[in-house]
């Protein structure tokens, strides 16, 4: 009896913690929770993009732009899975708490994740380029976009091939078992991939500016449209953080010390895919202003004059370049018409009825 009373007086025994436990030697739960959260947000952004394109508007087709962004999301999904599977639990843990077999399996998962990561970034960039190709009927703009597409393809190819064959015909995990395997300078290669990724993202912000800025629209409208393309700056910020923490991957306890690098990697992927979907906020906001009248495609139609005229006004058209407005008899050959369709047409009809457009009229039909 006395022993019973003594045990009761000691109070209830402390039970071990249940659920997710984050310790200084195990940061993996934070990485997994962040991965789940960003994956869900990326899926919502993609669904929002498709909702805006195919529900709020009419006569929209599933084109190459949608194929690219869907493939980018699937590649990003595969990359996220490599962090969520049991093999990915080595990231954020002390290397002393990881067995040799667990380390090898985790390095294999990380290798697959890096390949999918590059594919996701490259496809997301190409999705934006595909949309920019139809952004302007101007030949110089299209040539500039085509040149950038080639640059993105080259960046993706070099990054993918360099990552896939960084140790020749051997996997990078074999370097943990065999000292005779020679690999490329991984630190320098990852720096190259990161810096060139920042440069291409910066170009993806500047490229729409060269097309949109010359249009005769109000400053507020111009800044609003450009702000949606500038969302990619968050991906650039995450990439800079990734480069800052890159040296930690080459320390002795790299599985734990590289935790900020792996975390930044998830934010870079989220920012790149989300930036390709962010431009679709613009027609969504306009639909709210127009009362969500999805059947009326004119609610999404805008018309802006080009700042540089390619020819003089025909038939005495009275064009006001300062305000972008003109009389009913204005010559529309120097105007870009932004509608909800994804085609660029060139009218070759004559001066027939009053509803027909003059010879040489260019209509830009895009998702705004």
């Amino acid at each position: 009896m006395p022993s019973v009373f003594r045990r009761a007086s000691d109070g209830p025994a402390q039970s071990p913690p249940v659920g997710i436990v984050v310790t200084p030697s195990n940061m993996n739960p934070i990485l997994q929770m962040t991965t789940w959260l960003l994956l869900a947000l990326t899926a919502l952004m993609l669904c929002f993009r498709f909702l805006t394109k195919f529900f709020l508007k009419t006569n929209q087709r599933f084109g190459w732009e949608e194929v690219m962004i869907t493939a980018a999301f699937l590649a990003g999904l595969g990359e996220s899975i490599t962090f969520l599977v049991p093999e990915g639990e080595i990231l954020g843990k002390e290397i002393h708490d990881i067995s040799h077999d667990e380390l090898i399996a985790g390095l294999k998962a990380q290798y697959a994740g890096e390949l999918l990561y590059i594919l996701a970034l490259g496809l997301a960039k190409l999705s934006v380029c595909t949309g920019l190709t139809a952004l302007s009927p101007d030949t110089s703009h299209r040539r500039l976009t085509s040149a950038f597409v080639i640059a993105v393809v080259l960046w993706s190819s070099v990054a993918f091939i360099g990552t896939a064959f960084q140790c020749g015909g051997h996997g990078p995990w074999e370097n943990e078992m065999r000292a005779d395997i020679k690999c490329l300078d991984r630190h320098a290669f990852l720096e190259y991939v990161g810096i060139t990724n920042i440069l291409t993202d910066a170009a993806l912000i500047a490229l729409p500016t060269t097309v949109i800025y010359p249009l005769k629209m109000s400053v507020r409208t111009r800044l609003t449209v450009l702000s949606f393309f500038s969302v990619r700056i968050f991906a650039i910020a995450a990439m800079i953080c990734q480069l800052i923490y890159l040296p930690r991957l080459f320390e002795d306890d790299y599985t734990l010390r590289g935790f900020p690098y792996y975390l930044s990697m998830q934010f870079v992927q989220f920012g790149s895919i989300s930036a390709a979907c962010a431009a679709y906020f613009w027609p969504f906001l306009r639909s709210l202003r127009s009362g969500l009248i999805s059947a009326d495609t004119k609610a999404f139609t805008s018309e802006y004059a080009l700042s540089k005229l390619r020819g003089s006004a025909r038939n005495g058209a009275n064009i006001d370049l300062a305000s972008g407005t003109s009389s009913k008899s204005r010559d529309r050959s120097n105007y870009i018409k932004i509608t909800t369709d994804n085609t660029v047409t060139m009218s070759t009809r004559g001066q027939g009825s009053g509803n027909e457009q003059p010879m040489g009229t260019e209509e830009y039909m895009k998702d705004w």
Side-chain angles (χ1 to χ4, degrees):
M1 288 294 294
S3 61
V4 174
F5 283 115
R6 281 197 300 270
R7 284 195 293 268
S9 63
D10 292 338
Q14 293 184 354
S15 59
V18 180
I20 299 175
V21 180
V22 179
T23 63
S25 62
N26 183 15
M27 307 293 289
N28 183 261
I30 297 178
L31 184 60
Q32 292 207 3
M33 287 187 295
T34 304
T35 301
W36 275 114
L37 177 62
L38 296 180
L39 183 60
L41 292 176
T42 305
L44 288 176
M45 291 290 292
L46 186 65
C47 292
F48 176 84
R49 170 180 175 146
F50 289 157
L51 173 68
T52 304
K53 187 174 181 65
F54 300 112
F55 180 74
L56 294 181
K57 304 186 217 175
T58 58
N59 301 324
Q60 298 297 309
R61 299 178 180 178
F62 196 90
W64 282 109
E65 188 177 358
E66 285 68 41
V67 171
M68 293 289 184
I69 193 62
T70 303
F73 173 74
L74 293 177
L77 175 63
E79 188 271 347
S80 299
I81 290 176
T82 62
F83 280 78
L84 300 174
V85 294
E87 289 79 6
E89 293 180 359
I90 69 168
L91 304 178
K93 283 186 177 181
E94 279 190 350
I95 197 169
H96 303 292
D97 298 333
I98 304 172
S99 66
H100 180 74
D101 293 338
E102 291 175 341
L103 180 62
I104 297 302
L107 292 177
K108 291 180 180 180
Q110 183 185 6
Y111 173 74
E114 289 177 352
L115 294 176
L116 293 171
Y117 169 77
I118 294 172
L119 281 179
L121 298 188
L123 290 170
K125 295 176 194 290
L126 289 177
S127 172
V128 178
C129 294
T130 305
L132 292 178
T133 302
L135 190 60
S136 173
D138 188 77
T139 304
S140 61
H141 292 160
R142 294 195 171 193
R143 288 177 179 174
L144 184 62
T145 305
S146 299
F148 184 74
V149 168
I150 296 175
V152 171
V153 171
L154 289 176
W155 173 83
S156 302
S157 301
V158 172
F160 186 86
I161 294 175
T163 302
F165 301 101
Q166 56 186 291
C167 294
H170 301 278
W173 60 87
E174 296 183 41
N175 196 28
E176 298 287 334
M177 300 179 291
R178 297 172 52 183
D180 58 333
I181 297 178
K182 295 183 179 180
C183 301
L184 54 80
D185 188 347
R186 191 162 177 258
H187 188 281
F189 179 74
L190 290 177
E191 280 188 342
Y192 155 78
V193 172
I195 293 174
T196 50
N197 183 37
I198 292 175
L199 293 177
T200 53
D201 279 346
L204 279 177
I205 297 176
L207 196 57
T209 305
T210 61
V211 179
I212 297 171
Y213 186 78
L215 298 181
K216 288 296 181 179
M217 59 175 67
S218 65
V219 176
R220 179 180 179 182
T221 303
R222 184 184 293 115
L223 293 178
T224 301
V225 174
L226 291 177
S227 65
F228 291 112
F229 288 98
S230 301
V231 173
R232 189 169 292 272
I233 196 171
F234 294 105
I236 295 177
M239 190 70 241
I240 293 175
C241 293
Q242 194 174 8
L243 289 174
I244 292 174
Y245 292 108
L246 176 61
R248 294 192 177 192
L249 294 183
F250 306 95
E251 298 180 6
D252 294 334
D253 194 8
Y254 60 90
T255 54
L256 176 62
R257 294 285 295 164
F259 166 75
Y261 176 89
Y262 304 128
L263 195 63
S264 301
M265 186 176 179
Q266 297 303 103
F267 278 99
V268 171
Q269 179 177 270
F270 166 73
S272 297
I273 299 177
S274 298
C277 304
Y280 287 81
F281 277 96
W282 170 243
F284 177 74
L285 293 177
R286 297 197 63 185
S287 69
L288 293 179
R289 188 173 57 187
S290 63
L292 291 172
I293 307 176
S294 61
D296 183 11
T297 58
K298 293 183 179 180
F300 296 95
T301 302
S302 302
E303 190 174 87
Y304 302 108
L306 289 170
S307 60
K308 293 183 179 180
L309 301 182
R310 290 185 296 276
S312 60
R314 302 185 182 95
N315 301 326
N318 181 22
I319 301 177
D320 182 5
L321 293 180
S323 61
T325 60
S326 63
S327 64
K328 293 183 179 180
S329 62
R330 66 186 176 187
D331 177 13
R332 297 175 180 269
S333 62
N334 297 300
Y335 279 73
I336 284 180
K337 187 175 184 180
I338 302 178
T339 71
T340 59
D341 299 321
N342 282 325
T343 57
V344 178
T345 61
M346 175 72 74
S347 175
T348 57
R349 296 175 293 180
Q351 301 286 348
S353 62
N355 294 330
E356 292 183 347
Q357 296 176 337
M359 181 78 69
T361 296
E362 288 182 355
E363 288 185 353
Y364 165 58
M365 299 179 230
K366 188 56 186 168
D367 298 287
W368 293 340

